[in-house]
Amino acid sequence: LLGAAAHPALCPPAGSCTMSTAEDAEWLRWVTKQFGSIAGEDKEIDLEEFKTALQVKESFFAERFFALFDSDGSGTISLEELLKALSLLVHGNETDKLRFLFQVYDVVRALWHIRVPALTRRGACSPCAGSGSIDLDELRVVLRWCLQESAIALPEERLGDLTLALFEAADKDHSGSITFEELKEELEGFPEVMENLTISAASWLKPPPPMERSRRPRYLTRVYWHNHRSKLACLGGYAGLNLLLFALAALRHASLGGWMAVARGCGQCLNFNCAFLAVLMLRRCLTWLRATPIAKVLPLDQHVVFHQLVGYVVLALAAVHTGAHIANFSRLARQDGHHALAEYLLSAQPGVGGLGGTASQTGLALQGLLVAMLAFSSPCIRRSGHFEVFYWTHLSYISIWTLLILHGPHFWKWFVVPGCLFVLEKVVGLAWRHAGGLRIVEVNLLPSKVTHLVIERPQFFHYKPGDYVYLNIPAIATYEWHPFTISSAPEQQETLWLHIRSLGQWTNKLYEYFQQPESPSPEPKPLSRSLREKRCRRWVQVGADGAQLSANAECYIDGPYGTPTRRIFTSEHAVLIGAGIGITPFASILQSIMYRYRRRKQSCPSCHYSWCEDLRDEEMTLRKVDFIWINRDQKHFEWFVSLLTKLEMEQAEQEPGGRFLEMHMYMTSALSKNDMKAIGLQMALDLLAAKEQRDSITGLRTRTQPGRPDWSKVFGKVAEEKRGKVQVFFCGSPALAKVIRAHCEHFGFCFFKENF
């Protein structure tokens, strides 16, 4: 294979260096390899092969690049032509790269060259020369393709506004066309765009990576230990307690032999761990503890993770415990010669232990139940649409605790307190659930299969922003309860909101159930009308992507239960990061924040001077809130655009500077600003947003940024503001959580992830 070193033209001049020299060299080697595997015997590639070689999917930009790379107008590209053109992008200066961009936008001539290659071979024109200017129609064509590749859907009228905004800004002499000099002058007014012209060519043509790789956490750094001190301390205490229990029990039974010592040691650890499993799922008790000083010491946010860890420890201890007893029974069977190993295991034996000497039988039953429970608790089972398998096998904890009481003579001593608390919580939950069903008074079917439920709020139902409830809808599944975050603020008295994304079997059934109307009705009733008016079930189609339903379906809720987001109001500088439907806890929090902020805001009736009063104790100590919402495409923003618009308007009224709550929107399907194809589109969107004071994608005042966030820049800006101790709260995919956690550790920020 030919590498960059084999082509002197590709080597940068002495004393110069690009921002990504090593990356460019590696990319050029990859392109050379791709070319060699695709080109035929003539060592030339045509347009379709060119798209395959550089993985450029959209035919519009593929044709632009192909026309410019085909310097001799032959209709095919040789390796020399390709490397010569790429060397310009890799090692050229800003002017060279900007001229290439200008030629890409010179649509008419480039298209004509692709479709009539014979004329160019006769010298009719130079394919790279173009017409020398960009007119309004050419710019409109380019922006339309940019929108299509970014998965942005705008009406033709908005496309015209974008085109006109960029054209009028760039056409300095009002000649009706944009020259290279005019485009360069306009681009110089956008420093970020000019900076992107100097970056690696690999990011211009090669598709971006699917996800930013997370930095490896540095486990021995002071910041890491500081951010994880409570979790690490609890893990250390947990491990130490297990070792102590094992050692004490093993030493006490050492005279009975080595296998018995191991079995008794594991048995004592099992007494503790099987009772501790119940403690970790006392959700009501844990929610109450969050409001106490203990929450600062114990990692209550990790109770589900600890529950899973203890479950694996129980399975491992049970396996060793069972194996040690089998080895001991085998030894006894060889010694006395009267009883076979099977008799010890399958029949009751006096002195063996357990109720009536049934320790062996109950032990084997326990082992089988534990294996089944953990096997069907794996993520592949729960997330593959078979939640009911996980649910019913997990209910075997009742049988397990019963068998443990029969199996171990001392287990009841460990279990009596957590067992009573567990039973009490279940009784309270059952009493709450069966006190009376609640009505789903309205349903909105939103884009991307999101179901918005509006539920009648019980009279004495009190919760904190970000809390979640367990929801049961008998019409969907009689016995299934699923956790969902409350997306409405506690200050909203009449109703509760839940936004549910269709990702599994139950959530898909929910969406499909409300897609089947019982009786159509011509007009919906607004949400503001009283609950008494919403008694009949009615269906209304509100658009191609959604529907609204006023319903009287019955449901039950269990909760509320606390989450890490309760810490937000005691933060100084909070950074809220939601990915997709992960915005739901922050929807409630943002509404409550603005409600409390309005209460803090005071103004003089005479001079209208405004200030913020400090509120006491439980009230928030927030000085600044940064809200970051990352979505895959444009439709996902429709879930909460109305709420965010309202928050922006309230913020503008309360504080014109907009410094308390700052929003950041990212759309990952859009071409990022370091993609050459997106430069014109992003300039047009910026210009139109500045002119109209609203974003063309969402309608918000906040400009939607293309691509994924640069977390180093985002957190670097947060650190520079110095508005107090920074705490980052995240709700979204585990993969993105790892990335953000690593950056938080790098900057010394506290990180909290939504878990339930």
Side-chain angles (χ1 to χ4, degrees), residues 536-674:
C536 62
R537 189 175 183 189
R538 303 180 301 104
W539 167 268
V540 175
Q541 186 72 26
V542 297
D545 297 315
Q548 184 178 5
L549 170 73
S550 283
N552 195 18
E554 189 178 46
C555 71
Y556 298 88
I557 61 173
D558 178 19
Y561 297 112
T563 64
T565 51
R566 284 194 172 190
R567 301 172 182 258
I568 287 175
F569 294 95
T570 59
S571 306
E572 294 177 327
H573 189 165
V575 180
L576 317 180
I577 305 174
I581 198 63
I583 189 183
T584 47
F586 304 132
S588 172
I589 290 162
L590 289 173
Q591 293 175 80
S592 189
I593 283 176
M594 293 309 298
Y595 175 84
R596 299 184 185 200
Y597 184 68
R598 287 196 300 271
R599 288 176 54 195
R600 290 199 332 177
K601 200 71 177 177
Q602 304 293 333
S603 61
C604 175
S606 301
C607 64
H608 302 290
Y609 174 77
S610 62
W611 70 94
C612 283
E613 288 188 347
D614 292 329
L615 299 183
R616 300 177 183 176
D617 302 330
E618 60 184 6
E619 299 296 342
M620 66 178 185
T621 58
L622 283 169
R623 302 179 188 173
K624 174 73 184 296
V625 178
D626 280 286
F627 170 61
I628 301 173
W629 190 13
I630 308 166
N631 267 319
R632 183 174 66 251
D633 53 44
Q634 184 180 4
K635 286 185 178 296
H636 285 71
F637 286 105
E638 297 177 21
W639 299 337
F640 291 105
V641 163
S642 59
L643 167 63
L644 297 178
T645 301
K646 181 180 178 182
L647 291 176
E648 282 188 333
M649 293 174 63
E650 291 181 354
Q651 166 115 325
E653 293 174 1
Q654 296 289 333
E655 188 173 2
R659 293 170 293 176
F660 176 70
L661 172 61
E662 190 172 344
M663 298 184 186
H664 312 268
M665 307 292 165
Y666 291 90
M667 181 174 164
T668 58
S669 69
L671 298 174
S672 61
K673 288 188 176 181
N674 63 3

Side-chain angles (χ1 to χ4, degrees), residues 39-59:
E41 295 181 358
D42 58 353
K43 300 301 180 182
E44 301 267 338
I45 59 174
D46 58 19
L47 177 59
E48 292 303 318
E49 293 170 335
F50 174 78
K51 287 194 240 180
T52 303
L54 289 186
Q55 300 180 10
V56 181
K57 297 180 181 179
E58 291 292 344
S59 60

Side-chain angles (χ1 to χ4, degrees), residues 351-457:
V352 170
L355 184 65
T358 59
S360 298
Q361 295 76 56
T362 54
L364 291 175
L366 282 166
Q367 188 69 45
L369 287 173
L370 287 172
V371 170
M373 179 183 282
L374 266 74
F376 292 111
S377 299
S378 61
C380 62
I381 296 293
R382 289 185 288 113
R383 298 173 184 173
S384 62
H386 297 89
F387 178 84
E388 68 281 359
V389 177
F390 159 77
Y391 178 79
W392 288 109
T393 55
H394 229 65
L395 281 180
S396 62
Y397 67 79
I398 300 173
S399 301
I400 289 175
W401 282 334
T402 303
L403 288 171
L404 280 169
I405 293 173
L406 300 176
H407 177 81
H410 302 292
F411 174 70
W412 69 271
K413 301 175 184 178
W414 294 86
F415 186 67
V416 61
V417 174
C420 289
L421 289 174
F422 189 85
V423 171
L424 181 61
E425 282 208 358
K426 289 298 180 182
V427 170
V428 172
L430 287 172
W432 176 260
R433 295 172 187 178
H434 296 288
L438 302 175
R439 290 187 300 276
I440 301 175
V441 296
E442 186 173 303
V443 177
N444 296 291
L445 302 183
L446 304 178
S448 301
K449 298 190 73 175
V450 173
T451 307
H452 173 204
L453 300 181
V454 181
I455 303 172
E456 178 184 11
R457 180 173 176 175

